[in-house]
Amino acid sequence: MLHRIVDFSVRDVRFPTSAEQHGSDAMHTDPDYSAAYVVITTDSKVQGFGLTFTLGKGTDIVVCAVKALSGLVIGKFLQDIVGDFRGFYRLLSSDSQMRWLGPEKGVIHLATAAVLNAVWDLWARTEGKPLWKLLVDMDPKQIVSCIDFRYITDALTEEEALDILMKAQEDKQHREEQMLKKGYPAYTTSCAWLGYTDEQLKQLCTDAFKSGWTKFKVKVGADIEDDKRRCGLIRHMIGPQNTLMIDANQRWDVSEAISWVSELSEFRPLWIEEPTSPDDILGHAAISKALGTLGIGVASGEQCQNRVMFKQFLQAAALQFVQIDSCRLGSVNENLAVILMAHKFRVPVCPHAGGVGLCELVQHLILFDYISVSADLHNRMCEYVDHLHEHFTCPAIIEKAHYMPPKNPGYSCEMLESSVVKHQYPDGEVWRKKIA
Amino acid sequence: MLHRIVDFSVRDVRFPTSAEQHGSDAMHTDPDYSAAYVVITTDSKVQGFGLTFTLGKGTDIVVCAVKALSGLVIGKFLQDIVGDFRGFYRLLSSDSQMRWLGPEKGVIHLATAAVLNAVWDLWARTEGKPLWKLLVDMDPKQIVSCIDFRYITDALTEEEALDILMKAQEDKQHREEQMLKKGYPAYTTSCAWLGYTDEQLKQLCTDAFKSGWTKFKVKVGADIEDDKRRCGLIRHMIGPQNTLMIDANQRWDVSEAISWVSELSEFRPLWIEEPTSPDDILGHAAISKALGTLGIGVASGEQCQNRVMFKQFLQAAALQFVQIDSCRLGSVNENLAVILMAHKFRVPVCPHAGGVGLCELVQHLILFDYISVSADLHNRMCEYVDHLHEHFTCPAIIEKAHYMPPKNPGYSCEMLESSVVKHQYPDGEVWRKKIA
């Protein structure tokens, strides 16, 4: 059965999370977790849902960009899109006039992510499979045909990518069963946002510990004394055998990052996340080199703009943990490229999640990474934040600090229509009240 | 006298240049040169004009982003802005919620450029000086206070910047007089757009040669045989002593760039511009290394997103020519940072221009670079393209292939109101006719 895309909508949906300091860090002091939310409908009445994540103000700009891309989607047959997915990715990401606005970065790339996420959701639904399973069952040649290798062939060729996928066919079935039974390991960021008090932090950490969490991330970077106190508090509560990570959200310059994190080394963080500008490959390399001697790795990726940047972070040994994001990169297509490059460079993928919908989406990608690419769980885990899941029709399910593989067809990004209507900006009920 | 910004407007202005293949290259086959055009008005009735350049489709997205930033500008006093210009730059470029859309890249940074260009224009007008002269006369300490050094201190500290400016005070007066008399050297890109026929190319090249042009840039990258024929044709016409540059507009992957340009080395291009992705610092470094042995430099910058990227291009010896852009970076503020870093790394600045308004704007920056920073003209020249100048109230003036310093107060980006009205998209007369 053919599926022709006949309708396309995009809405500006915002949640007033800043009111309670959820999501606050050293650079983003008052985020209102938001999304540009896309729904595409085919003539066969199947729908695809997609989104990209934002922090409130400016979501309207992304909505505007999504609308500009919609003309490249409406009227197309799903089969034609996925039959030449590399070509369709190129069409969206390298339109002769619009590529000036990026290319493949910032607003226009966030918009590309929202549109392509909806297309992947649609594809998985028409196949009756959750997205991770669609990918796991897909012929390696077809997977490779979804990837645009432009600008990355000096790090990964199509042949190398195919070779990686072919080798990982072995024991795939076993790993899939393992995931269905035990799930994929997760860590929590819910306990230690920068705006939380010590009391909040203690309470949340105690509760999480009781629920089976063993890996905790703390926001740092605003004040060194606060950071020492908070890291000490958490390290004391979780004990020496569990995992602590710290996240500075781009707060420092290179030398400041090195000295600040060195001062926190006594708390033995596994990684320092986003120590400096997400654009600074050579800076991250210098920080990696300096902190490597202290046993601390560098993690980044939630604001890494595209596969060309990830390629260089890997080439320069600038990251020890690759944090892919389901909404920053050009959807599944570009994430596949990054997952395969990370494998080649032997760097673990530990996805960024949280926000709104990011956990729902990225769990599919990391399941694919484990089952079909890396076959490895050492030093690998997926971020989890316990916010806003109630707005999704198929929220992420955590059991004993593990993501349990989604079973419903699609990419898990369908929101409850009632939530969308209520939180639409600026006309939804929630915002009408706030603005009044 | 105080100047409070009380009114702010932004318009989507597009010129249908694609109809005649002006501006066509290997990646941008049909550009409609366009701008998001900003006018700010103060309570003292002084106005500031600013723009950012785009290629047609998607200009509305930038307009939307400019509107989102306008709230940070309206109501402010010019004196407060320029009294803490670093702080104001940071306010615009790192808003806690909107920085997620960049940070400092793509649509949101193009919008920042448009807004800040208007502020600089306003400032220069209130001082009764052309912008280059405002900068040249400015106290080095104040210049440095306009720059956000975040993320670049590992390459250039505030003290080093000040030191560079102080040293260049010597003989400044002499260089200013020299510029006023002879102007700043330019090269032309008008002769050899990719969509032009050989006949067009020959005619335009002959005409330009007669008018005193000695430096020519050719678009390459679509077909190697075409490139050889076109480069041969121009090299034959201009003779061995004049300068040929080639521009691939990001067409290749790294190894392809090296082999393709090697095949063109017989035509002795001074540089290959944008051989690959503008994001690929390490790729440019590899290309620079390979082509350096053939005496060909690498140039890039028109799509280099911010100072953090330029910093790394310099640190990695990935560029031999730094092509600043007046509308891609965060206005004068960020260009000052790049100009000073380029000086420290001893790499010549050869600005990108053309499009609509880019020549008018960037001439101010390169005059400042020569008079107050580099004091050097070796291998330095500013791009010139002879299009669309008629729409500006103070168009760039070229004499004997040199930019003559503007004399009117401001940053030269005021457009004729009649041109703006006629070319507004989609309601201006030009577009109403085209669309009908």
Side-chain angles (χ1 to χ4, degrees):
Chain A
M1 187 182 182
L2 292 174
H3 303 278
R4 188 159 183 250
I5 296 164
V6 292
D7 193 55
F8 186 109
S9 79
V10 54
R11 285 174 284 179
D12 179 338
V13 185
R14 307 189 191 186
F15 300 90
T17 44
S18 62
E20 293 174 9
Q21 290 278 293
H22 302 323
S24 56
D25 64 50
M27 296 291 273
H28 312 92
T29 48
D30 59 348
D32 284 327
Y33 283 171
S34 306
Y37 181 63
V38 171
V39 183
I40 53 182
T41 309
T42 68
D43 54 1
S44 57
K45 306 293 172 210
V46 190
Q47 290 191 304
F49 303 85
L51 60 84
T52 195
F53 171 60
T54 52
L55 293 189
K57 257 196 285 180
T59 309
D60 49 323
I61 307 170
V62 182
V63 165
C64 184
V66 168
K67 283 180 185 162
L69 293 176
S70 67
L72 301 170
V73 179
I74 297 168
K76 293 262 189 330
F77 286 97
L78 174 65
Q79 285 80 359
D80 290 338
I81 291 175
V82 304
D84 176 22
F85 216 156
R86 179 183 300 167
F88 186 72
Y89 176 87
R90 181 79 66 92
L91 179 80
L92 247 68
S93 63
S94 198
D95 173 87
S96 161
Q97 294 192 347
M98 282 196 282
R99 73 188 302 286
W100 186 263
L101 307 182
E104 297 185 80
K105 61 180 66 76
V107 167
I108 196 78
H109 212 46
L110 292 168
T112 300
V115 172
L116 288 178
N117 282 343
V119 171
W120 278 96
D121 182 61
L122 178 67
W123 189 9
R125 283 169 191 258
T126 62
E127 299 288 330
K129 292 178 183 181
L131 181 102
W132 67 268
K133 179 68 172 155
L134 174 74
L135 291 173
V136 162
D137 290 348
M138 200 180 280
D139 180 73
K141 277 190 189 146
Q142 190 168 11
I143 290 187
V144 164
S145 80
C146 297
I147 299 172
D148 188 351
F149 285 87
R150 175 177 270 181
Y151 303 141
I152 58 169
T153 55
D154 53 329
L156 182 79
T157 64
E158 195 168 336
E159 295 67 37
E160 288 174 309
L162 194 59
D163 189 50
I164 291 169
L165 291 165
M166 293 301 289
K167 278 189 184 141
Q169 294 289 306
E170 201 185 315
D171 270 340
K172 212 171 70 170
Q173 183 61 30
H174 170 74
R175 290 192 294 276
E176 183 178 330
E177 283 160 18
Q178 179 197 359
M179 285 295 111
L180 285 166
K181 207 168 148 192
K182 295 190 176 172
Y184 193 90
Y187 73 86
T188 178
T189 310
S190 293
C191 302
W193 296 106
L194 207 65
Y196 285 4
T197 64
D198 287 3
E199 287 314 304
Q200 260 179 304
L201 192 150
K202 270 189 220 170
Q203 187 60 50
L204 288 165
C205 197
T206 308
D207 294 348
F209 205 54
K210 279 185 194 154
S211 315
W213 292 94
T214 58
K215 304 176 176 82
F216 297 81
K217 194 163 79 187
V218 187
K219 297 287 177 179
V220 298
D223 180 281
I224 182 72
E225 294 310 320
D226 281 347
D227 290 353
K228 284 183 183 171
R229 195 183 69 253
R230 292 155 53 87
C231 286
L233 207 147
I234 296 205
R235 175 51 83 195
H236 178 73
M237 291 180 74
I238 68 176
Q241 76 285 10
N242 291 312
T243 306
L244 174 69
M245 291 147 287
I246 57 177
D247 184 358
N249 293 88
Q250 314 168 20
R251 181 61 184 244
W252 306 306
D253 279 24
V254 174
S255 65
E256 195 182 10
I258 294 169
S259 59
W260 194 301
V261 177
S262 298
E263 284 203 58
L264 299 176
S265 64
E266 60 176 302
F267 308 109
R268 297 197 302 103
L270 176 67
W271 75 51
I272 170 65
E273 183 171 329
E274 289 202 312
T276 188
S277 164
D279 304 343
D280 198 350
I281 298 149
L282 301 180
H284 280 77
I287 297 167
S288 289
K289 205 172 166 189
L291 297 181
T293 58
L294 300 172
I296 302 169
V298 173
S300 188
E302 69 185 70
Q303 293 196 30
C304 182
Q305 67 208 32
N306 57 38
R307 69 193 177 285
V308 183
M309 296 297 283
F310 270 117
K311 175 189 77 167
Q312 295 172 84
F313 275 106
L314 291 165
Q315 288 174 320
L319 290 182
Q320 288 69 55
F321 299 92
V322 161
Q323 300 182 301
I324 57 169
D325 182 289
S326 56
C327 293
R328 172 75 59 182
L329 294 183
S331 188
V332 179
N333 312 68
E334 197 168 25
N335 269 300
L336 290 171
V338 176
I339 285 170
L340 288 161
M341 285 194 289
H343 182 75
K344 184 180 161 188
F345 285 85
R346 311 227 155 274
V347 175
V349 176
C350 298
H352 170 245
V356 53
L358 299 181
C359 299
E360 278 67 23
L361 288 155
V362 89
Q363 60 181 337
H364 292 271
L365 303 179
I366 201 63
L367 284 164
F368 167 76
D369 179 50
Y370 176 65
I371 299 169
S372 296
V373 180
S374 78
D376 183 19
L377 289 177
H378 178 67
N379 261 351
R380 290 167 184 267
M381 50 195 155
C382 185
E383 185 167 20
Y384 182 73
V385 186
D386 193 11
H387 288 151
L388 306 175
H389 301 287
E390 65 276 20
H391 301 292
F392 288 81
T393 59
C394 303
I397 293 170
I398 295 285
E399 283 179 14
K400 294 183 191 156
H402 284 67
Y403 275 93
M404 298 312 293
K407 292 186 174 159
N408 298 74
Y411 198 3
S412 309
C413 36
E414 183 182 358
M415 294 175 79
L416 296 171
E417 184 58 24
S418 56
S419 288
V420 174
V421 169
K422 205 167 150 186
H423 292 90
Q424 249 189 281
Y425 185 87
D427 295 326
E429 185 190 325
V430 167
W431 292 103
R432 274 209 320 273
K433 278 186 195 161
K434 275 208 161 274
I435 292 163
Chain B
M1 184 182 184
L2 291 174
H3 303 278
R4 186 158 185 253
I5 297 165
V6 291
D7 193 55
F8 186 109
S9 79
V10 54
R11 286 174 284 178
D12 179 341
V13 185
R14 307 189 191 185
F15 299 90
T17 45
S18 62
E20 293 173 10
Q21 289 279 292
H22 302 323
S24 55
D25 65 49
M27 296 292 273
H28 312 92
T29 49
D30 59 349
D32 285 327
Y33 282 171
S34 306
Y37 181 63
V38 171
V39 183
I40 54 182
T41 309
T42 69
D43 53 1
S44 57
K45 305 294 172 210
V46 191
Q47 291 191 303
F49 303 85
L51 60 83
T52 195
F53 171 60
T54 51
L55 293 188
K57 256 195 286 180
T59 309
D60 50 321
I61 307 169
V62 182
V63 165
C64 183
V66 169
K67 284 181 185 163
L69 293 175
S70 67
L72 301 170
V73 180
I74 296 167
K76 293 262 188 332
F77 286 98
L78 175 65
Q79 285 80 358
D80 290 337
I81 291 174
V82 304
D84 177 22
F85 217 157
R86 181 183 297 166
F88 187 71
Y89 176 88
R90 180 78 67 90
L91 181 79
L92 247 67
S93 63
S94 199
D95 172 88
S96 161
Q97 294 192 348
M98 282 196 283
R99 71 188 304 283
W100 186 262
L101 308 181
E104 296 183 81
K105 61 181 66 76
V107 167
I108 196 77
H109 212 44
L110 292 168
T112 300
V115 172
L116 288 177
N117 283 343
V119 171
W120 278 96
D121 183 61
L122 178 68
W123 189 9
R125 283 168 189 259
T126 61
E127 299 288 330
K129 293 179 182 180
L131 181 102
W132 67 268
K133 180 68 172 155
L134 174 74
L135 291 173
V136 162
D137 291 347
M138 200 179 280
D139 181 73
K141 277 192 190 145
Q142 191 169 11
I143 290 189
V144 164
S145 81
C146 298
I147 300 171
D148 187 352
F149 285 87
R150 175 177 269 180
Y151 302 142
I152 59 170
T153 54
D154 52 330
L156 182 79
T157 64
E158 195 168 336
E159 296 68 37
E160 288 174 308
L162 194 60
D163 189 50
I164 290 169
L165 291 165
M166 294 302 290
K167 278 189 183 139
Q169 295 289 307
E170 201 185 315
D171 271 340
K172 213 171 70 169
Q173 184 60 33
H174 170 74
R175 290 191 294 276
E176 184 176 331
E177 284 159 17
Q178 178 197 359
M179 285 295 111
L180 285 166
K181 207 168 148 192
K182 296 191 174 171
Y184 194 92
Y187 73 87
T188 177
T189 310
S190 293
C191 302
W193 294 108
L194 206 65
Y196 285 3
T197 64
D198 285 3
E199 286 315 304
Q200 260 179 303
L201 191 151
K202 270 189 222 171
Q203 188 60 51
L204 289 165
C205 196
T206 308
D207 294 349
F209 203 54
K210 279 184 195 155
S211 314
W213 293 94
T214 58
K215 303 177 178 82
F216 298 82
K217 195 163 80 185
V218 187
K219 296 288 178 178
V220 297
D223 180 282
I224 182 72
E225 294 310 321
D226 282 347
D227 290 352
K228 283 183 182 171
R229 195 184 69 254
R230 290 155 53 88
C231 286
L233 206 147
I234 296 203
R235 176 51 82 194
H236 177 74
M237 292 179 72
I238 68 176
Q241 76 286 11
N242 290 312
T243 306
L244 174 70
M245 292 146 286
I246 57 177
D247 184 357
N249 293 87
Q250 314 168 20
R251 183 61 185 246
W252 306 307
D253 278 25
V254 174
S255 65
E256 195 183 9
I258 294 169
S259 59
W260 194 300
V261 178
S262 298
E263 284 203 58
L264 299 175
S265 64
E266 62 175 302
F267 307 107
R268 295 195 305 105
L270 176 66
W271 75 51
I272 170 66
E273 182 171 328
E274 290 202 312
T276 188
S277 164
D279 304 343
D280 197 351
I281 298 148
L282 302 180
H284 280 77
I287 297 166
S288 289
K289 205 173 165 189
L291 297 180
T293 60
L294 300 172
I296 303 169
V298 174
S300 188
E302 69 185 68
Q303 293 195 31
C304 183
Q305 69 209 31
N306 57 37
R307 70 193 177 287
V308 184
M309 295 299 282
F310 271 117
K311 176 188 77 167
Q312 295 172 84
F313 275 105
L314 291 165
Q315 289 173 320
L319 291 183
Q320 288 70 53
F321 300 91
V322 161
Q323 301 182 300
I324 57 169
D325 182 288
S326 56
C327 294
R328 172 75 59 184
L329 293 184
S331 188
V332 179
N333 312 67
E334 197 169 24
N335 269 299
L336 290 171
V338 176
I339 285 170
L340 289 161
M341 284 194 289
H343 182 75
K344 183 179 162 188
F345 284 86
R346 310 227 156 272
V347 175
V349 176
C350 298
H352 170 245
V356 54
L358 299 182
C359 299
E360 278 67 24
L361 289 155
V362 90
Q363 60 181 337
H364 292 272
L365 302 179
I366 200 63
L367 285 165
F368 167 76
D369 179 49
Y370 176 65
I371 299 169
S372 296
V373 181
S374 79
D376 184 18
L377 289 177
H378 177 66
N379 262 351
R380 288 165 185 269
M381 50 195 155
C382 186
E383 184 168 22
Y384 181 73
V385 186
D386 193 12
H387 288 150
L388 306 175
H389 301 287
E390 65 276 20
H391 300 295
F392 288 82
T393 59
C394 303
I397 294 171
I398 295 286
E399 283 178 15
K400 296 183 189 155
H402 284 68
Y403 274 93
M404 299 312 293
K407 291 184 177 164
N408 298 74
Y411 198 3
S412 307
C413 36
E414 183 181 359
M415 296 175 77
L416 296 171
E417 184 58 25
S418 57
S419 288
V420 174
V421 169
K422 205 165 148 188
H423 293 90
Q424 248 188 282
Y425 185 88
D427 295 327
E429 185 190 325
V430 166
W431 291 104
R432 274 209 319 273
K433 276 187 194 157
K434 276 209 162 270
I435 292 163

